[in-house]
Amino acid sequence: MASSGLPIHIHCSAQKPSVSSSANFDHLKSTLSNAFKPFLKQIERLPLRIDVAPQTLNNTCLKLVDAAVDSVFEFADQPLLPSQSNFGPVDEMKEAVQVTNIQGEIPRDFAEGVYIRNGPNPIFGALTSTSSMFGRSSYTWIEGEGMLHALYFCKGVEGDWTVLYKNRYVETETLKLERQRNKPSFLPAIEGDSPAILSAYLLNMLRYGKVNKEISNTNVFEHGGKMYSIAENHKPQEINILTLETLNDWDVNGGWNRPFSSHPKKAPGTGELVILGIDATKPFAELGVISADGNKLLHRADLKLNRCSLCHEIGVTQSFKFHVEYKLKIDVNFPFARYNVFMDHPLLIDLNRLVRGSSLMKYEKEGYARIGIMPRYGSADSIQWFKVKPNCTFHLFNCFEDGDEVKTM
């Protein structure tokens, strides 16, 4: 993904500071000094002579940044609420075990195969929050590393069933980085105080080249005969369904360089995969259409939204004439045959709001909500928008044809 800059205006003054501002500055110096004393002690342990080789210099700089993070930021486990207890982490097994305690019976005509799901499973036993001189920052409770859970259904010659269970982490690049360090290392950068989140962005980028972890914990889908694990903050990871090994990131042979929506949709009839990628900087939302074999990006369109709406899912359909049913009934005639349906609601990610000292992610209850419908290979100019009551809707249950109508629920 191309890098983008966030303009920050800095005003400098050559005036002599007032007594109060001087006192505030002295207090700030004292605070910084106390916060970085442990860091300075760690610097003293580093070699005084630094080789000028670029790799050595880079490693030394990283050690300095790591020492600063370890000295200034205090990690603590985030407790789960009672209603979230079933999302507590489980141990990674890797090897399959036989399931012996089965309630009920598996039908004899049930198909052999594998059922795979994923979900958040913090690698070190719990999500972490941090406190520092910059304030506090934390994850949302659904952000643990992705773990795959698989049930394998095998039928014997006598018709008896053997069921095996296996789980395994999705081996994203960021999970590998934290495993190498064997401790929580990424600074949480979603919820909390604005200065803490902004400092987490900077330090995560300096240390890892990434602002946030790749969690891959939301959905598992198949396309072109391959299985993928996904969360909407990154590209999908291809998975070997027999071993649950992570193979590689999927960027459609270099054609797609931003996240996927968590729930891409396979188009009826053509087998094409329709995806939506959101980002905190412009373009805020882009739609893509991938070939049925998964090898080529056939179409890409900037939806030209003026905000980053946390759009979690996209709907697809095909029809010549249809209406949308969403607490209202609208008949629309289009000259095209296949359509994409997506939502623009006021649950927003806003970097400018974060810089101003407010939250990164917020539901703007006074904001607008609308549904967009566009031809499968359309552009932003072909979108027809329908205003709806302000809401936060994450999932579309279905978009389907009913005679000459299509209903979106």
Side-chain angles (χ1 to χ4, degrees):
M1 191 187 314
S3 61
S4 56
L6 184 67
I8 299 176
H9 300 285
I10 301 175
H11 301 279
C12 300
S13 172
Q15 296 177 350
K16 184 178 180 179
S18 65
V19 174
S20 62
S21 64
S22 178
N24 289 337
F25 183 68
D26 289 341
H27 174 70
L28 178 60
K29 286 197 298 182
S30 175
T31 301
L32 286 170
S33 177
N34 290 332
F36 279 91
K37 277 181 181 177
F39 167 50
L40 296 174
K41 290 181 180 179
Q42 292 192 47
I43 290 180
E44 292 173 358
R45 301 192 190 106
L46 294 176
L48 293 179
R49 181 175 178 273
I50 299 177
D51 195 330
V52 295
Q55 185 61 45
T56 303
L57 186 60
N58 289 340
N59 290 339
T60 302
C61 291
L62 284 175
K63 288 180 180 179
L64 290 173
V65 177
D66 283 346
V69 170
D70 291 340
S71 299
V72 176
F73 291 86
E74 180 181 352
F75 284 86
D77 288 349
Q78 289 180 220
L80 285 173
L81 298 175
S83 61
Q84 301 163 356
S85 60
N86 61 317
F87 292 99
V90 298
D91 293 333
E92 183 180 33
M93 300 174 64
K94 292 189 179 179
E95 299 302 325
V97 296
Q98 184 171 348
V99 179
T100 57
N101 185 7
I102 300 177
Q103 297 182 2
E105 294 183 357
I106 302 173
R108 293 182 63 87
D109 58 352
F110 192 73
E112 289 186 284
V114 56
Y115 167 78
I116 302 179
R117 63 170 292 271
N118 61 0
N121 201 86
I123 187 174
F124 296 111
L127 289 173
T128 55
S129 61
T130 62
S131 58
S132 68
M133 58 183 291
F134 305 108
R136 294 182 176 272
S137 69
S138 63
Y139 295 104
T140 60
W141 64 273
I142 57 173
E143 286 186 87
E145 283 78 9
M147 176 174 277
L148 297 162
H149 304 264
L151 286 172
Y152 299 89
F153 293 84
C154 309
K155 184 187 287 188
V157 292
E158 300 296 329
D160 54 322
W161 286 96
T162 299
V163 180
L164 303 175
Y165 168 78
K166 178 190 289 190
N167 68 10
R168 190 163 186 167
Y169 276 108
V170 184
E171 294 277 348
T172 63
E173 291 303 314
T174 57
L175 181 138
K176 293 176 184 177
L177 286 170
E178 285 206 311
R179 270 187 165 164
Q180 289 173 3
R181 293 168 178 259
N182 199 31
K183 65 178 182 179
S185 302
F186 270 82
L187 297 170
I190 297 294
E191 295 185 337
D193 299 315
S194 174
I197 294 175
L198 289 170
S199 61
Y201 282 172
L202 175 61
L203 291 167
N204 286 342
M205 182 60 71
L206 285 173
R207 301 164 83 201
Y208 306 112
K210 301 175 186 292
V211 170
N212 281 310
K213 291 196 288 187
E214 303 155 357
I215 52 180
S216 196
N217 67 11
T218 310
N219 187 27
V220 176
F221 69 95
E222 177 275 334
H223 188 65
K226 297 178 180 179
M227 191 69 66
Y228 300 94
S229 177
I230 190 173
E232 60 205 22
N233 73 332
H234 192 63
K235 295 184 286 291
Q237 285 76 41
E238 184 184 347
I239 302 299
N240 182 319
I241 64 171
L242 297 179
T243 64
L244 300 188
E245 290 178 291
T246 303
L247 302 179
N248 45 51
D249 290 355
W250 186 35
D251 62 1
V252 198
N253 290 322
W256 192 258
N257 61 347
R258 61 168 40 216
F260 277 43
S261 49
S262 288
H263 300 283
K265 292 295 176 62
K266 191 164 291 192
T270 66
E272 297 163 339
L273 192 71
V274 183
I275 60 176
L276 183 69
I278 64 169
D279 205 338
T281 57
K282 287 186 177 181
F284 294 122
E286 286 190 306
L287 178 136
V289 181
I290 300 172
S291 60
D293 61 11
N295 292 327
K296 187 177 180 180
L297 184 70
L298 303 175
H299 180 64
R300 184 171 188 162
D302 176 4
L303 301 185
K304 296 185 179 179
L305 302 186
N306 60 5
R307 61 185 188 175
C308 180
S309 176
L310 193 57
C311 189
H312 184 70
E313 186 165 16
I314 187 170
V316 295
T317 188
Q318 64 182 65
S319 179
F320 286 95
K321 175 183 175 184
F322 64 95
H323 76 258
V324 174
E325 182 175 82
Y326 187 85
K327 298 183 180 179
L328 48 82
K329 190 171 182 177
I330 306 171
D331 287 292
V332 187
N333 289 281
F334 287 100
F336 302 99
R338 298 180 177 89
Y339 303 94
N340 310 313
V341 182
F342 48 89
M343 298 169 289
D344 178 16
H345 53 61
L347 177 61
L348 306 177
I349 297 174
D350 191 335
L351 289 176
N352 289 320
R353 182 175 59 210
L354 178 68
V355 171
R356 294 193 300 266
S358 188
S359 57
L360 172 66
M361 188 165 55
K362 183 179 179 181
Y363 178 68
E364 300 279 5
K365 60 182 179 180
E366 303 301 326
Y368 62 87
R370 56 185 183 168
I371 296 175
I373 301 174
M374 67 182 290
R376 179 66 35 76
Y377 286 84
S379 65
D381 295 335
S382 66
I383 302 173
Q384 294 199 32
W385 290 106
F386 303 98
K387 292 184 178 179
V388 296
K389 185 177 179 180
N391 70 91
C392 177
T393 302
F394 264 45
H395 293 103
L396 291 168
F397 286 102
N398 203 356
C399 299
F400 63 95
E401 298 185 20
D402 184 7
D404 62 352
E405 297 178 347
V406 166
K407 297 181 179 179
T408 298
M409 300 186 297

